[in-house]
Amino acid sequence: MSLCVERGELVSIIGPSGCGKSTFLRCLNFLEIPDSGVLRIEDVEITKQTGHGWNRAQERRAHALRAHVGMVFQSFNLFAHRTVLDNVMMAPRSVKGLSQPEIEPLARALLAKVGLEGMADRYPSTLSGGQQQRAAIARALAMKPAVMLYDEPTSALDPELAEEVLQVMRRLDDEGMTQIVVTHDMRFARAASDRVLYVEAGHIVESGDPDVLFADPQDPRTRRFLRTLL
Ligand SMILES: Nc1ncnc2c1ncn2[C@@H]1O[C@H](COP(=O)(O)OP(=O)(O)OP(=O)(O)O)[C@@H](O)[C@H]1O
Ligand SMILES: [Mg+2]
């Protein structure tokens, strides 16, 4: 799979279960070490060659690269025994070594941005799923990433709560954030994306403008997939 995402783009990745969407996303963060490939984000470039191991220098660079990447999962993955505010402040404190007074204003501003002002001192279990996912987005933003990755961010949510999360992603898009979203929400993929990729069996089958891809798919595999959804 080869992909170049422009700054400020919102790219949706769609495709059948097991086609490799999550694996691809995890490779962009080196949560998964690819067999081979080249990845560049901002000023960090990493090459992995087939048959070669993963050495300490590469891991150091992967660490630097991860600082540019925020990731949001289907299952929120908030720390249950920490308040919402603590969840947002944790990474900047432990990774960047910032003190609470340094980070708290930004953390509170991010909570306001995702519509969670007044919820800073709550524990995750007292929030709705949509609120938890928005807290997870604020937590990822606290590291000031260059790109946000989402793996089915709304799949665990009722439509109404999903909409609150999608609104936040649209707002980030308006502000120029670069976002790559694996989603089963075709309505969102069509309405909000600058580009959609249809993936099947580990390959990008078709990519392009969402209105074109959904209305007039060129590849028979894309057509078949979209037909099964109707
Ligand atoms: N490290 C790995 N090495 C080899 N195969 C893997 C590895 N990780 C995942 N797979 C396999 O790769 C395929 C793609 O899995 P992946 O989870 O990326 O699919 P997906 O498109 O995200 O599916 P879903 O829509 O169900 O989430 C699966 O068959 C999975 O078992
Ligand atoms: Mg997946």
Side-chain angles (χ1 to χ4, degrees):
M1 291 171 69
S2 187
L3 174 64
C4 178
V5 177
E6 302 292 333
R7 209 178 285 275
E9 249 194 313
L10 195 164
V11 175
S12 291
I13 302 179
I14 62 170
S17 184
C19 71
K21 303 181 296 296
S22 296
T23 304
F24 180 62
L25 213 59
R26 291 164 58 82
C27 285
L28 297 183
N29 207 358
F30 291 99
L31 276 177
E32 194 90 54
I33 308 299
D35 294 328
S36 66
V38 181
L39 177 59
R40 181 152 57 85
I41 299 179
E42 296 281 298
D43 55 343
V44 188
E45 179 172 304
I46 303 175
T47 302
K48 170 71 171 67
Q49 287 176 300
T50 313
H52 289 243
W54 184 249
N55 61 39
R56 211 173 289 172
Q58 283 167 309
E59 183 51 40
R60 251 199 317 274
R61 257 181 293 167
H63 188 75
L65 183 139
R66 285 185 199 113
H68 294 310
V69 182
M71 191 147 185
V72 173
F73 304 90
Q74 180 177 343
S75 50
F76 324 136
N77 295 1
L78 293 169
F79 293 99
H81 58 291
R82 303 282 190 124
T83 65
V84 167
L85 183 66
D86 278 341
N87 266 278
V88 176
M89 295 195 301
M90 265 174 90
R93 269 156 104 176
S94 67
V95 179
K96 294 190 172 166
L98 297 174
S99 67
Q100 170 143 355
E102 284 173 301
I103 186 65
E104 191 173 325
L106 170 71
R108 290 192 181 277
L110 288 173
L111 288 175
K113 186 198 280 282
V114 300
L116 293 179
E117 55 275 274
M119 307 250 173
D121 298 325
R122 302 267 290 267
Y123 283 85
S125 62
T126 69
L127 303 183
S128 76
Q131 290 168 334
Q132 288 184 58
Q133 190 61 301
R134 285 182 282 137
I137 292 173
R139 181 178 61 174
L141 292 173
M143 289 296 285
K144 301 190 174 155
V147 52
M148 289 282 285
L149 310 177
Y150 304 83
D151 194 351
E152 300 193 29
T154 58
S155 292
L157 303 175
D158 292 333
E160 204 179 325
L161 301 183
E163 193 49 43
E164 299 170 347
V165 173
L166 298 174
Q167 283 297 346
V168 169
M169 294 163 69
R170 285 198 187 88
R171 201 172 316 137
L172 290 173
D173 184 45
D174 290 341
E175 292 174 4
M177 177 58 78
T178 309
Q179 304 182 92
I180 304 177
V181 188
V182 168
T183 185
H184 288 293
D185 185 335
M186 298 302 143
R187 216 168 47 97
F188 174 77
R190 183 165 185 167
S193 314
D194 297 301
R195 186 153 47 123
V196 178
L197 312 183
Y198 174 64
V199 174
E200 195 174 296
H203 295 277
I204 299 171
V205 168
E206 187 166 347
S207 76
D209 181 89
D211 280 327
V212 175
L213 188 136
F214 282 106
D216 187 22
Q218 298 304 300
D219 193 286
R221 290 168 289 181
T222 317
R223 278 203 290 274
R224 194 179 335 112
F225 174 73
L226 292 175
R227 248 200 329 267
T228 61
L229 298 177
L230 297 173

